[in-house]
């Protein structure tokens, strides 16, 4: 690992004579005696994984007698998790051709998520795993305590009429509540990276694997990519042990389009504009997002003038009509 210091602006400074090469910290020297600011080492991938099939997925009656957090995986769910581990290994190792990489796991405290992690972990040797942390903020949406089947059917029908994001389950949470705690988790995740609490060697590609639940994963994506509530409402749930790979693009932006296809993203409920944004992020520089993504502003405004003069003339015209 390269020795570095941090200046008053939070930039890492590395002496020019030291050679350092990784996917996120490339830099050029112009002055032999002047430290060069470089970005923090970023994870190459953040992989969101939904747990395998649970007994509750198979039979809703389980929720009436077993607390949600204690519901285990089915034998099929265990097999799904083992297969997911193998697929994730192939992704982070580039099908075995790359050697400089590590994984760090975050996991929901629910039994089905912990069991999924245990089976996924079988694909990795100890030297590949930097660590694991149980994280309560990425748990399942709280639907109340024991769930009475007939009552839950009526409640979920009401949710569809009210709106999935803002509807709060009696004695439970709304998706908006989950969004708030996942947002808090994201802040902690970035502090883990910024302060290197993960103990990551920057010469290795870092892969963060977050094993959670369908809704928590969707609101994570919503927060990360600044999707609106309306866009969230169209997103489909992840399948059991389905995963989404958020990967660092060439210019320093993260994107789903680095690993996933347009057909996959359409299947997940992303609109053409959202997919266009993901494709752009795969190659864009971090500083150009505002200039290149006018569609995001268009989602909030009927019309924005191209210049202050155009804006003034149009406003005056509106008032004179």
């Amino acid at each position: 690992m390269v020795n570095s210091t941090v200046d008053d602006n939070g930039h890492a400074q590395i002496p020019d004579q030291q050679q350092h090469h990784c996917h996120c910290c490339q830099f050029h020297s112009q002055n032999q005696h002047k430290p060069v600011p470089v970005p923090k080492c970023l994870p190459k991938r953040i992989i969101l994984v939904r747990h395998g099939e649970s007994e509750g997925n198979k039979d809703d009656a389980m929720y009436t007698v077993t607390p949600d957090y204690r519901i285990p995986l089915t034998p099929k769910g265990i097999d799904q998790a083992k297969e997911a581990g193998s697929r994730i290994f192939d992704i982070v190792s580039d099908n075995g051709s790359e050697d400089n990489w590590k994984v760090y796991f975050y996991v929901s405290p629910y039994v089905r998520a912990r069991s999924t992690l245990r089976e996924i972990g079988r694909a990795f040797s100890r030297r590949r795993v930097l660590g694991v942390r149980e994280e309560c903020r990425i748990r399942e949406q709280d639907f109340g305590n024991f769930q009475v089947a007939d009552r839950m059917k009526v409640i979920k029908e009401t949710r569809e009429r009210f709106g999935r994001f803002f509807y709060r389950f009696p004695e439970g949470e709304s998706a908006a509540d989950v969004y708030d705690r996942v947002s808090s988790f994201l802040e902690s995740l970035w502090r883990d990276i910024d302060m290197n609490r993960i103990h990551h060697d920057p010469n290795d590609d870092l892969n963060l694997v977050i094993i959670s639940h369908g809704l928590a994963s969707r609101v994570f994506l919503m927060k990360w990519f600044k999707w609106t509530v309306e866009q969230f409402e169209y997103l489909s749930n992840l399948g059991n042990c389905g995963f989404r790979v958020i990967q660092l693009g060439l210019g320093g932006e993260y994107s789903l389009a680095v690993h996933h296809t347009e057909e996959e993203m359409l299947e997940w409920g992303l609109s053409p504009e959202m997919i266009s944004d993901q494709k752009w992020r795969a190659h864009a520089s971090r500083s150009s997002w505002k200039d290149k993504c006018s569609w995001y502003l268009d989602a909030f405004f009927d019309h924005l003038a191209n210049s202050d003069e155009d804006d003034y003339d149009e406003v005056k015209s509106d008032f004179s009509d």
Side-chain angles (χ1 to χ4, degrees):
M1 182 181 293
V2 175
N3 294 323
S4 65
T5 60
V6 179
D7 66 16
D8 292 338
N9 295 318
H11 295 298
Q13 295 186 321
I14 300 177
D16 292 340
Q17 65 268 26
Q18 290 183 283
Q19 298 298 312
H20 170 56
H21 304 283
C22 76
H23 72 274
C24 57
C25 289
Q26 296 177 359
F27 63 92
H28 302 282
S29 172
Q30 296 179 347
N31 188 321
Q32 186 174 0
H33 304 289
K34 184 178 180 181
V36 180
V38 297
K40 305 284 187 185
C41 284
L42 300 173
K44 184 173 183 179
R45 300 177 188 87
I46 300 173
I47 304 176
L48 305 175
V49 187
R50 185 187 175 200
H51 60 81
E53 181 189 72
S54 73
E55 293 291 351
N57 296 140
K58 187 176 178 181
D59 182 4
D60 289 343
M62 282 291 297
Y63 296 109
T64 66
V65 294
T66 307
D68 193 4
Y69 69 93
R70 291 183 183 172
I71 291 179
L73 295 180
T74 64
K76 178 180 178 181
I78 292 173
D79 290 341
Q80 288 172 332
K82 289 177 181 177
E83 181 183 353
S86 178
R87 291 172 61 199
I88 292 170
F89 177 89
D90 287 343
I91 291 169
V92 300
S93 69
D94 195 12
N95 293 310
S97 65
E98 293 291 336
D99 189 58
N100 295 330
W101 57 270
K102 295 289 192 295
V103 292
Y104 189 95
F105 294 98
Y106 294 89
V107 62
S108 159
Y110 281 37
V111 167
R112 55 187 179 272
R114 289 281 302 265
S115 298
T116 299
L117 168 64
R118 190 175 302 278
E119 300 306 323
I120 285 176
R122 299 183 190 281
F124 299 92
S125 64
R126 182 175 292 274
R127 78 180 186 93
R128 296 295 185 185
V129 180
L130 287 172
V132 60
R133 183 179 305 168
E134 182 178 281
E135 177 51 70
C136 285
R137 288 171 292 182
I138 58 173
R139 68 185 185 275
E140 177 65 288
Q141 179 181 7
D142 289 334
F143 297 104
N145 295 316
F146 291 107
Q147 302 171 29
V148 180
D150 291 342
R151 181 169 178 256
M152 286 301 296
K153 181 179 179 181
V154 174
I155 288 172
K156 289 183 177 181
E157 289 173 353
T158 304
R159 179 183 61 173
E160 293 302 316
R161 298 197 305 272
F162 188 89
R164 298 179 66 87
F165 188 76
F166 291 113
Y167 181 81
R168 179 176 284 118
F169 283 83
E171 302 174 351
E173 290 181 304
S174 67
D177 295 324
V178 180
Y179 180 93
D180 290 342
R181 56 177 164 84
V182 168
S183 297
S184 171
F185 163 67
L186 255 175
E187 293 172 3
S188 299
L189 183 147
W190 280 117
R191 284 195 295 273
D192 287 347
I193 295 167
D194 189 56
M195 300 172 67
N196 197 24
R197 292 190 291 218
I198 295 174
H199 305 297
H200 164 229
D201 183 339
N203 293 296
D204 290 329
D205 286 338
L206 173 62
N207 300 274
L208 303 180
V209 182
I210 301 173
I211 300 172
S212 181
H213 306 266
L215 180 70
S217 297
R218 281 178 284 155
V219 297
F220 185 104
L221 291 167
M222 178 187 179
K223 172 66 175 177
W224 188 280
F225 292 119
K226 304 179 177 70
W227 292 339
T228 66
V229 171
E230 182 180 3
Q231 290 169 328
F232 167 85
E233 295 281 3
Y234 287 101
L235 298 178
S236 58
N237 200 10
L238 288 73
N240 291 122
C241 275
F243 54 81
R244 308 285 188 262
V245 180
I246 306 171
Q247 186 161 328
L248 194 63
L250 298 176
E253 277 283 356
Y254 285 91
S255 172
L256 293 167
V258 176
H259 178 78
H260 297 290
T261 66
E262 180 175 348
E263 289 73 21
E264 286 179 300
M265 290 185 283
L266 280 170
E267 184 179 337
W268 301 338
L270 275 69
S271 69
E273 291 81 11
M274 294 164 73
I275 293 172
S276 177
D277 175 50
Q278 292 300 317
K279 290 180 176 179
W280 173 84
R281 286 172 180 270
H283 303 282
S285 63
R286 299 186 62 131
S287 61
S288 60
W289 184 86
K290 183 177 178 181
D291 295 331
K292 299 298 183 182
C293 288
S294 60
W295 69 268
Y296 189 80
L297 292 178
D298 293 341
F300 295 91
F301 299 99
D302 292 332
H303 172 70
L304 289 176
N306 293 324
S307 69
D308 290 343
E309 290 79 10
D310 292 342
D311 183 46
Y312 178 79
D313 291 342
E314 183 166 330
V315 169
K316 295 292 287 184
S317 174
D318 288 343
F319 276 105
S320 64
D321 290 343

